[in-house]
Amino acid sequence: YSWGGTSPEEGFDCSGLVYYAYRQAGSQVPRTTRGQYRAAVPINPRRVRPGDLLFFQIAGKISHVGIYAGNRQFVHAPSSGKSVSFGRLDNPYWQDHIIAAGRLSVP
């Protein structure tokens, strides 16, 4: 984890991981969690598909994002001192903090 990080060399923060992954797939997306939230078309979190974004509210604001991977798992850059990893939507912490899901339009 690296606050503001957008590459494997410098590390990632949560939105930097999304930014990097989508760029690797040939799509431009906003750099910040807030920008990604605003750019995403809202979808029901129960209808997510791999590649969709999951947004989490922490400390009263949307401040974390992950990429849905399927099987109720998502990939994210969790927090300082931790590496990019998978989270599970059946984990009570993430269940309590998920606030939205969205799909980015990609070419």
Side-chain angles (χ1 to χ4, degrees), residues 19 22 24 33 39 50 73 84 86 95 100:
Y19 178 80
Y22 272 81
Q24 292 301 301
T33 300
Q73 295 184 81
V84 171
F86 284 95
Q95 286 178 352

Side-chain angles (χ1 to χ4, degrees), residues 32-103:
T32 64
T33 300
R34 180 177 288 163
Q36 292 166 2
Y37 175 76
R38 289 180 178 158
V41 174
I43 57 173
N44 184 323
R46 297 179 194 274
R47 302 209 183 277
V48 291
R49 299 188 309 225
D52 289 341
L53 301 183
L54 303 172
F55 296 95
F56 301 90
Q57 182 175 4
I58 300 169
K61 63 180 181 172
I62 295 175
S63 58
H64 192 65
V65 61
I67 304 169
Y68 187 67
N71 290 331
R72 304 205 32 87
Q73 295 184 81
F74 62 98
V75 65
H76 66 136
S79 61
S80 185
K82 297 183 181 176
S83 299
V84 171
S85 61
F86 284 95
R88 296 201 49 87
L89 289 174
D90 51 10
N91 176 308
Y93 178 84
W94 297 116
Q95 286 178 352
D96 290 345
H97 289 87
I98 191 166
I99 193 166
R103 187 166 293 144

